[in-house]
Amino acid sequence: MLPYINLPFQYAASVTGASVDELKLIFSFLLSYPLAGALKRIPDAKPYQKNLFIILVSLFYLVGLFDLWTGIRTLFIDAAGAYLIAAYVAGPFMPWIGFVFLMGHMSLNHVTRHFVNTPDKIDVTGAQMVLIMKLTAFCWNVQDGRLPQKDLADFQRERALHRLPDLLDYAGYVLFFPSLFAGPSFDFVDYRRWIETSMFEIPAGTDPSTAPKTRKKRKIPRSGIPATIKAIIGLVWIFLFLKFSGWYNPDLVLGDQYMKYGFSRRIWILEMLGFSTRMKYYGVWHLTEGACILSGLGYKGVNLKTGKVDWDRLQNVNPWGIESAQNSRAYLENWNMNTNHWLRNYMYLRVTPKGKKPGFRASLATFVTSAFWHGFQPGYYLTFVLAAFLQTVAKNFRRHIRPFFMTADGQRPTPYKIYYDILSYLATQIAFCFTTAPFVLLSLPASLRVWARVYFYAVIGVAVSMAFFASPAKPWLTKRLKQRNQNSLQPKEKAEHPLMGLPSDPAGDIDEAVREIREEVEARRRRGASIGMPTGADMKAAVENKLEKKL
């Protein structure tokens, strides 16, 4: 750490009540703006200088500002390990070996963080969580580059790496300072297109008058205004968080005063506790996204409808989408959006065999990955499990209740749809403030205590709803809908993938798992095979058969 660098932060901490490390983190986000502006001004023809600048700034943040020497070691182990695995491990299991190595290493740090228990101190775990997303994706992108093009989906073709990047480019990708501590994450192909400036090439036939404005000979369009807007919005959210967190915090819902309020006010306080916590993330993610925009990496091309440049390539959160959500899916898909993309593209779809639809195995693998990635605090798991069942309840209401408030063809709302929207909005927000409380409180005793103080209302609501849709009421509703909508062409439901790793239909996934087990047992019985655990020799033979070589 640089000498005397803590002095201004110690003074600011005494005035604001925030911790020194929290203030330094905000300072690093703000400092990234002028540094990102300087980065953009390094000549496009000298990408090595951009890489060196990125690396030096990140090293300053890690050791000059936070004294995280062990953090450098942690990030180096992850980055070096992933690169060596991608370079020297052949065969279809390479990305999975990289995944196990990276997740295992991060899990050790999560356990250490859990037992040290100093939430006001910044450690490298947050940066490592961002890096894990980038490096697991990197391993898959390298693997896709080794496969025949005809075997790849469009997304895989676009992101495939046909050769390993040089170490300087790779180090710049790993240590990209605007998103070092809090994201957003992105794939290496985005970084390569940015540093080579191919991201900013104008498609042939584009009207020059609609081309993005640039300065001098730079290809990166002007991005000062959208970056400044993001910074202002982020600072407003941070300011609101500092104010609201003083009024609504864990101490309030765990204290004696909380039980002196009526039931409805206790729910309101729980809602405001969740909202004030989300403000912190809204602020941080807007600040980091703005710095990425200023560097040019947030560029998404020109919007053909508006003719304006889109800068939301790395958007990570949509506060309005969350706060106005009328169902669980809308709530979750607007939160931590890049993590949703990572879980979908590099776990959910990767577990699914080619030619098959994702099912129980994909949902379970994605759920476990999301849970382990977040850490081992019991509160996370209470939130994840209950949110998964909330998704099932919400899906049942959308399938079997909502159509009664739409026209027979399902295209237009009836005059009564507004009442359904209001009730679904209130139900979603009230259910999620209960569900996400353990995510804020973290510990099991605190989470259960707060849930008990509001009589486990969301748990009871989920249980009653699931019992209702498991009763004869569900086929009755289905019959009524068919009678009502006869001869009308209904819109097809979109295939849903897990959000934040949560299965969209846990009950259906469990049924599918039971069905798969029964089918496997029946198949073995027909073959006359006994059912038991494989021996070590059996497992070795299976691996050799898969790899097509002797071990």
Side-chain angles (χ1 to χ4, degrees):
M1 185 187 299
L2 294 178
Y4 310 113
I5 198 167
N6 264 0
L7 291 179
F9 298 106
Q10 289 170 347
Y11 173 75
S14 66
V15 173
T16 62
S19 72
V20 170
D21 274 11
E22 287 171 340
L23 291 172
K24 287 199 290 187
L25 187 63
I26 299 299
F27 171 75
S28 73
F29 295 151
L30 295 175
L31 183 59
S32 291
Y33 279 78
L35 293 175
L39 172 63
K40 186 166 64 174
R41 283 160 175 77
I42 296 175
D44 293 340
K46 297 180 178 179
Y48 74 93
Q49 291 185 1
K50 293 187 177 185
N51 282 322
L52 289 174
F53 183 81
I54 289 167
I55 294 167
L56 290 174
V57 171
S58 287
L59 291 177
F60 163 71
Y61 284 170
L62 288 167
V63 298
L65 195 58
F66 288 105
D67 203 27
L68 289 174
W69 290 98
T70 57
I72 290 181
R73 181 186 64 196
T74 296
L75 299 183
F76 174 79
I77 290 172
D78 285 335
Y83 193 90
L84 291 172
I85 289 170
Y88 294 107
V89 176
F93 294 119
M94 182 275 284
W96 295 114
I97 293 171
F99 173 82
V100 171
F101 165 74
L102 292 165
M103 290 293 288
H105 186 217
M106 184 178 66
S107 295
L108 291 175
N109 282 339
H110 275 316
V111 171
T112 302
R113 173 78 167 170
H114 176 74
F115 285 108
V116 171
N117 193 27
T118 53
D120 59 334
K121 294 288 185 182
I122 300 299
D123 68 358
V124 80
T125 309
Q128 188 182 22
M129 291 172 70
V130 176
L131 186 59
I132 293 305
M133 290 192 284
K134 294 165 74 171
L135 295 181
T136 50
F138 174 80
C139 289
W140 277 111
N141 298 151
V142 171
Q143 178 68 9
D144 290 339
R146 296 171 179 171
L147 299 176
Q149 291 288 297
K150 62 182 179 62
D151 294 341
L152 303 178
D154 291 340
F155 174 84
Q156 292 173 278
R157 267 188 227 104
E158 181 189 352
R159 309 253 148 204
L161 297 176
H162 301 285
R163 58 180 176 81
L164 283 174
D166 63 59
L167 290 177
L168 191 59
D169 281 352
Y170 182 70
Y173 170 66
V174 166
L175 295 173
F176 189 69
F177 68 85
S179 64
L180 178 66
F181 288 114
S185 69
F186 48 89
D187 291 344
F188 182 82
V189 69
D190 292 323
Y191 184 78
R192 184 177 63 191
R193 290 171 182 167
W194 169 76
I195 204 161
E196 293 175 352
T197 67
S198 60
M199 176 187 288
F200 310 104
E201 292 176 356
I202 305 301
T206 302
D207 184 353
S209 64
T210 63
K213 300 295 187 292
T214 61
R215 289 185 182 276
K216 299 181 181 179
K217 297 181 178 180
R218 288 200 304 270
K219 288 186 178 181
I220 302 177
R222 300 177 187 178
S223 55
I225 292 177
T228 302
I229 291 172
K230 287 287 182 181
I232 292 171
I233 294 173
L235 288 173
V236 169
W237 280 120
I238 293 293
F239 173 77
L240 290 174
F241 164 70
L242 293 174
K243 297 296 291 183
F244 276 72
S245 61
W247 302 328
Y248 304 99
N249 50 60
D251 291 339
L252 174 60
V253 295
L254 292 169
D256 295 335
Q257 181 64 32
Y258 185 62
M259 292 306 294
K260 295 179 182 179
Y261 300 125
F263 178 65
S264 59
R265 186 168 180 185
R266 290 202 296 266
I267 294 177
W268 169 253
I269 291 172
L270 210 56
E271 168 65 29
M272 293 308 295
L273 172 66
F275 182 48
S276 63
T277 303
R278 290 193 296 275
M279 288 177 186
K280 175 176 65 175
Y281 292 96
Y282 294 162
V284 166
W285 284 336
H286 272 82
L287 288 175
T288 56
E289 185 191 349
C292 290
I293 289 172
L294 192 58
S295 73
L297 192 57
Y299 179 78
K300 198 179 179 180
V302 178
N303 188 308
L304 297 178
K305 292 183 179 180
T306 64
K308 296 180 180 179
V309 175
D310 276 344
W311 290 101
D312 59 352
R313 175 185 292 273
L314 300 180
Q315 183 180 5
N316 208 33
V317 70
N318 176 8
W320 175 250
I322 294 168
E323 304 306 331
S324 64
Q326 296 177 20
N327 57 70
S328 60
R329 189 160 192 85
Y331 193 102
L332 293 170
E333 71 184 359
N334 287 294
W335 173 263
N336 210 350
M337 295 154 75
N338 288 291
T339 300
N340 277 325
H341 297 159
W342 170 66
L343 289 168
R344 178 181 185 272
N345 295 322
Y346 298 110
M347 178 51 63
Y348 184 68
L349 296 178
R350 302 292 179 158
V351 174
T352 306
K354 187 179 179 182
K356 292 189 176 182
K357 291 183 177 180
F360 167 73
R361 295 174 186 176
S363 294
L364 179 63
T366 309
F367 176 82
V368 172
T369 299
S370 178
F372 273 64
W373 180 79
H374 280 89
F376 300 108
Q377 296 283 5
Y380 295 152
Y381 296 84
L382 289 177
T383 293
F384 290 153
V385 171
L386 183 54
F389 285 99
L390 272 180
Q391 286 219 83
T392 298
V393 170
K395 181 184 288 188
N396 278 322
F397 272 95
R398 185 170 182 84
R399 285 179 177 175
H400 303 290
I401 303 296
R402 184 178 180 272
F404 287 105
F405 296 87
M406 304 292 291
T407 53
D409 59 4
Q411 300 295 328
R412 298 180 305 280
T414 68
Y416 302 103
K417 174 69 161 41
I418 183 65
Y419 302 111
Y420 175 87
D421 291 343
I422 292 172
L423 287 175
S424 61
Y425 167 76
L426 292 174
T428 298
Q429 299 298 327
I430 291 172
F432 265 96
C433 76
F434 177 95
T435 304
T436 57
F439 209 91
V440 179
L441 301 168
L442 299 180
S443 75
L444 183 62
S447 300
L448 294 178
R449 184 180 184 185
V450 170
W451 276 5
R453 288 180 159 197
V454 288
Y455 312 119
F456 295 96
Y457 70 83
V459 175
I460 295 171
V462 165
V464 170
S465 297
M466 294 193 72
F468 174 79
F469 287 109
S471 73
K474 184 174 179 178
W476 181 81
L477 287 171
T478 303
K479 182 179 178 181
R480 288 294 305 273
L481 280 175
K482 286 182 178 179
Q483 292 173 349
R484 178 180 182 268
N485 301 336
Q486 50 183 291
N487 301 326
S488 295
L489 185 63
Q490 296 297 305
K492 289 186 178 180
E493 285 192 357
K494 295 181 180 178
E496 294 184 353
H497 58 86
L499 295 168
M500 294 308 299
L502 303 175
S504 57
D505 186 4
D509 289 339
I510 292 171
D511 290 341
E512 182 181 343
V514 172
R515 185 170 61 252
E516 286 185 8
I517 293 170
R518 285 176 176 170
E519 289 173 354
E520 179 66 21
V521 170
E522 289 299 322
R524 291 195 175 203
R525 282 177 178 166
R526 285 194 297 270
R527 296 195 302 265
S530 60
I531 302 171
M533 290 295 292
T535 64
D538 292 336
M539 294 179 69
K540 181 179 179 183
V543 172
E544 288 176 342
N545 181 57
K546 189 73 175 179
L547 295 177
E548 299 180 349
K549 65 179 182 180
K550 291 287 184 181
L551 296 178

